[in-house]
Amino acid sequence: MPHDDMGTHIPTTAIDYIAIEESPDFIAHKRRHRSFVFPLAVAFLLWYFAYVLLADYAHEFMSTKVIGNINIGLILGLSQFVTTFAITTWYVSFANRKLDPAAEKFRAQLEEAERA
Amino acid sequence: MTVGDPILNISIFAAFVVVTLVIVIRASRTNKTANDFYAAGRSFSGGQNGTAIAGDYLSAASFLGICGAIAVNGYDGFLYSIGFLVAWLVALLLVAELLRNTGKFTMADVLSFRLKERPVRLAAATATLAVCFFYLLAQMAGAGGLVSLLLGVNDRVGQSVVIAVVGVIMIAYVLIGGMKGTTWVQIIKAVLLIAGAGVMTIWVLALNGFNLSALLGEAVAVAGEDILNPGAQYGATGTSRLDFVSLALALVLGTAGLPHVLMRFYTVPTAKEARRSVVWAIWLIGLFYLFTLVLGYGAAYLVGKDTILAAPGGVNSAAPLLAFELGGSILLGIISAVAFATILAVVAGLTITAATSFAHDVYANVIKKGAVPPNGEVKVARITVVVIGLLAIVGGIGVQGQNIAFLVALAFAIAASANLPTILYSLFWRKFTTRGALWSMYGGLASALILIIFSPVISGAETSMFPTADFAWFPLNNPGIVSIPLGFLLGWLGTVTSSVKEDPRIAAEMEVRSLTGHGAEKASSH
């Protein structure tokens, strides 16, 4: 890719990326991606910090025994593992079903445009 | 005191080195271009790469450090595992795929896509080298500490020799094998480490009738009720509690900014494979951290806190001592060899990352302005590997016996303060500018370093690097709670105060490419 004197990329292709970026299809694709990952990222971070603050400042609550020697702290800690695995699986299934087909369609169009 | 048979330990370790070196030599036959050397020709599958990520990530700090922390401090040790694991969701949801779609070899490739290339590359390379250097020092120091227990080498000279040997083997791996060889070493090591920890976990659980509550009961009988409750390590004062929040922040935001983790997203052919790698990594790493919970509590009652702390390796010796307790010299030998392999593989991964960043970002694009003869870049990368290897040996000998946990926490805090804000801004914020990137990277890096220098880890406390000096004014051991928000704030401030706006055509191109994978570097054909 060519650069100007400060080393910044200069657009090379004839493809009008601004037009693509502003097309309704692409806006929908971008919204589909962001409206999934952003809320989920906020949710897991809030859940993680809620757990951290409980473990840090609510020792008595976390030390409450539930089953045998297993206390609330251990259950909440292990449920962090469970939610991490669950979010991973959920995101992958979403990405495979919703994001990949759309990305593939755009890629085919762009490659077509580049050849033209 | 030594446990087990040093000769046996060395033999098992030597066998690992020989087998992996043969594999590295075989894997390196097709290494020709920069693409091969840095990104293994983008030829690894998601499953292979995910296993290598686990091998890169599960360092000695994870295995020995967390087992020991749980065995000695109980529940508070478990909190590390959770932070290290949950952090992968940041990488999965926000970083891995978009990064793979817009870069080639390094984090700086992504940043320089639409920002002014040379200043941004220089800043990103500086932050990358700083993170790698502190991470490397921690691993090398860990190697020195381990040998005192495992090989019966107790004197300073002997430990220095071992550090030098680890460094030389690591240089050989990276020089001969490049990214492909390094990746295979990490895959083999990850399998051995997870299998070894898995066997020990099942063993400990079997002793307790596969009843977790019974295992915890045994730990309580030896160590007291507090081992199950939070607060043993961080609950003492208001400051130590705040320190824990700071650490939790650095752990969860650091992973997606670690350069050696970011670089692994380029060794696969597509964004879809990058996603698959992270999924593999999350399952393997999560499983491993569940093992460490059992191993930690197992060591707490089978070995005992006092024995662990009295051993030459201190808190880090919990896992090897537990192996000895369970399976005698043979299991100890195997687990020791795995621990060495762990250090070796992580050190190799860090070295190739640092060398790539220097050769690709600083030499080829800043010094030579892109006009590099064919293979000139790889030649510089190879020289850099040797230089970094030597620096790591000297540094590792220098920090011997020092508190190594802070080096790792420092690496995570720098990664979260200097790297993550710019990565997220440049992927998701169209208006982000060069000034924002530079302020964020240099500001995040400088604030993290300055706060560490004036914190109790360096001076003013009994456990400091310089216990007799006292110039500490920052009360926390981890700078994350200040430096991470500062990195994000500076990125925003630099951007809104920029008079120069970036080219909207390039911003559009980057956004389209990041979400579609158009124009991404493909796998090489051989």
Side-chain angles (χ1 to χ4, degrees):
Chain A
M1 218 182 267
H3 305 88
D4 68 13
D5 55 346
M6 280 301 286
T8 309
H9 292 147
I10 298 164
T12 42
T13 58
I15 297 176
D16 184 353
Y17 281 103
I18 295 183
I20 297 169
E21 195 190 27
E22 288 170 354
S23 70
D25 277 0
F26 187 80
I27 292 173
H29 178 52
K30 182 170 146 186
R31 186 172 299 144
R32 210 177 297 126
H33 177 251
R34 294 195 176 181
S35 66
F36 189 88
V37 298
F38 284 171
L40 205 54
V42 171
F44 88 74
L45 284 173
L46 284 177
W47 162 225
Y48 169 74
F49 281 106
Y51 165 77
V52 165
L53 293 175
L54 280 175
D56 207 14
Y57 293 100
H59 292 167
E60 268 180 39
F61 169 72
M62 295 295 259
S63 308
T64 316
K65 295 253 163 95
V66 182
I67 313 157
N69 289 306
I70 296 170
N71 59 22
I72 291 180
L74 192 65
I75 291 173
L76 287 184
L78 291 174
S79 59
Q80 289 282 337
F81 281 71
V82 174
T83 49
T84 302
F85 293 144
I87 289 172
T88 304
T89 310
W90 189 21
Y91 170 71
V92 170
S93 121
F94 170 80
N96 287 343
R97 280 183 298 115
K98 305 277 176 166
L99 298 179
D100 287 351
E104 228 157 87
K105 201 185 76 196
F106 282 112
R107 212 156 52 228
Q109 284 170 4
L110 287 161
E111 270 157 28
E112 184 77 15
E114 215 159 46
R115 271 196 297 274
Chain B
M1 181 192 101
T2 45
V3 286
D5 180 354
I7 309 279
L8 184 72
N9 294 345
I10 294 173
S11 314
I12 297 174
F13 177 60
F16 172 85
V17 171
V18 170
V19 170
T20 45
L21 263 182
V22 170
I23 292 170
V24 165
I25 291 167
R26 291 181 60 90
S28 63
R29 284 188 192 152
T30 51
N31 270 354
K32 290 185 194 76
T33 62
N35 202 340
D36 293 324
F37 191 76
Y38 299 149
R42 309 187 198 285
S43 58
F44 280 101
S45 74
Q48 291 170 328
N49 195 49
T51 312
I53 291 178
D56 225 341
Y57 194 67
L58 297 172
S59 66
S62 288
F63 179 44
L64 306 172
I66 293 178
C67 284
I70 294 174
V72 171
N73 293 313
Y75 189 86
D76 280 8
F78 185 40
L79 297 159
Y80 281 92
S81 313
I82 292 166
F84 280 136
L85 176 69
V86 172
W88 278 96
L89 289 177
V90 181
L92 175 71
L93 295 177
L94 302 175
V95 177
E97 295 170 47
L98 305 183
L99 190 91
R100 174 63 187 86
N101 276 340
T102 46
K104 278 170 75 181
F105 302 128
T106 65
M107 169 191 124
D109 287 335
V110 174
L111 307 183
S112 63
F113 194 106
R114 64 189 173 95
L115 306 176
K116 287 194 178 42
E117 178 157 18
R118 280 193 274 287
V120 170
R121 270 198 199 277
L122 200 58
T126 308
T128 296
L129 291 172
V131 175
C132 288
F133 185 69
F134 286 106
Y135 221 115
L136 264 177
L137 280 190
Q139 302 298 326
M140 298 302 275
L146 252 179
V147 284
S148 55
L149 175 76
L150 303 176
L151 303 183
V153 182
N154 282 312
D155 60 308
R156 211 183 150 80
V157 178
Q159 290 192 21
S160 305
V161 170
V162 173
I163 290 177
V165 169
V166 169
V168 169
I169 298 172
M170 169 273 290
I171 293 171
Y173 279 149
V174 179
L175 276 188
I176 300 168
M179 192 51 150
K180 208 177 274 174
T182 305
T183 305
W184 279 114
V185 172
Q186 282 160 349
I187 291 174
I188 296 166
K189 166 246 155 149
V191 171
L192 287 177
L193 178 62
I194 294 170
V199 168
M200 284 171 67
T201 301
I202 292 170
W203 200 321
V204 170
L205 284 175
L207 291 177
N208 293 282
F210 292 95
N211 181 341
L212 184 62
S213 178
L215 165 65
L216 299 178
E218 294 280 2
V220 168
V222 173
E225 192 67 38
D226 280 347
I227 197 163
L228 302 185
N229 302 334
Q233 190 176 2
Y234 288 98
T237 64
T239 312
S240 70
R241 288 178 187 210
L242 197 62
D243 210 358
F244 180 73
V245 177
S246 190
L247 176 72
L249 195 65
L251 294 185
V252 79
L253 297 178
T255 299
L258 289 176
H260 62 298
V261 166
L262 297 174
M263 199 170 157
R264 292 234 67 97
F265 299 144
Y266 295 121
T267 57
V268 288
T270 59
K272 198 179 165 85
E273 290 298 318
R275 179 195 308 146
R276 206 169 276 157
S277 324
V278 180
V279 172
W280 270 84
I282 287 176
W283 282 101
L284 290 173
I285 291 167
L287 188 70
F288 180 81
Y289 286 143
L290 290 174
F291 291 164
T292 59
L293 181 70
V294 173
L295 297 180
Y297 281 120
Y301 90 89
L302 286 168
V303 183
K305 181 178 176 173
D306 296 336
T307 313
I308 294 169
L309 290 179
V315 81
N316 291 329
S317 59
L321 288 174
L322 177 65
F324 184 65
E325 199 63 40
L326 291 173
S329 309
I330 300 276
L331 190 60
L332 175 74
I334 294 171
I335 293 300
S336 324
V338 168
F340 272 110
T342 291
I343 292 176
L344 206 56
V346 173
V347 165
L350 287 164
T351 305
I352 196 161
T353 304
T356 303
S357 179
F358 183 80
H360 179 65
D361 295 327
V362 179
Y363 171 76
N365 286 300
V366 176
I367 298 175
K368 290 287 179 179
K369 305 188 174 169
V372 198
N375 268 334
E377 202 178 309
V378 174
K379 201 182 283 171
V380 171
R382 288 179 192 275
I383 296 169
T384 316
V385 168
V386 177
V387 173
I388 292 170
L390 294 176
L391 280 177
I393 292 171
V394 173
I397 291 171
V399 296
Q400 253 185 101
Q402 299 288 357
N403 170 7
I404 62 164
F406 91 91
L407 290 168
V408 171
L410 177 56
F412 267 77
I414 297 174
S417 319
N419 293 351
L420 190 71
T422 350
I423 292 170
L424 291 182
Y425 281 138
S426 64
L427 289 174
F428 291 104
W429 190 19
R430 220 172 165 293
K431 293 194 173 71
F432 191 52
T433 66
T434 303
R435 179 192 278 187
L438 295 177
W439 283 19
S440 171
M441 282 190 282
Y442 285 125
L445 177 64
S447 61
L449 287 176
I450 289 169
L451 292 179
I452 280 281
I453 289 169
F454 294 103
S455 78
V457 296
I458 300 289
S459 74
E462 273 174 43
T463 51
S464 305
M465 270 185 102
F466 305 106
T468 49
D470 185 4
F471 47 85
W473 47 260
F474 185 68
L476 306 180
N477 287 312
N478 193 295
I481 201 166
V482 176
S483 62
I484 297 169
L486 192 68
F488 278 101
L489 179 73
L490 286 172
W492 170 81
L493 195 68
T495 299
V496 297
T497 58
S498 293
S499 49
V500 190
K501 301 291 177 221
E502 308 300 332
D503 188 337
R505 290 171 302 174
I506 299 279
E509 181 177 350
M510 180 168 173
E511 189 164 286
V512 170
R513 285 173 55 162
S514 73
L515 283 170
T516 62
H518 172 65
E521 287 275 317
K522 297 246 169 33
S524 56
S525 52
H526 58 253

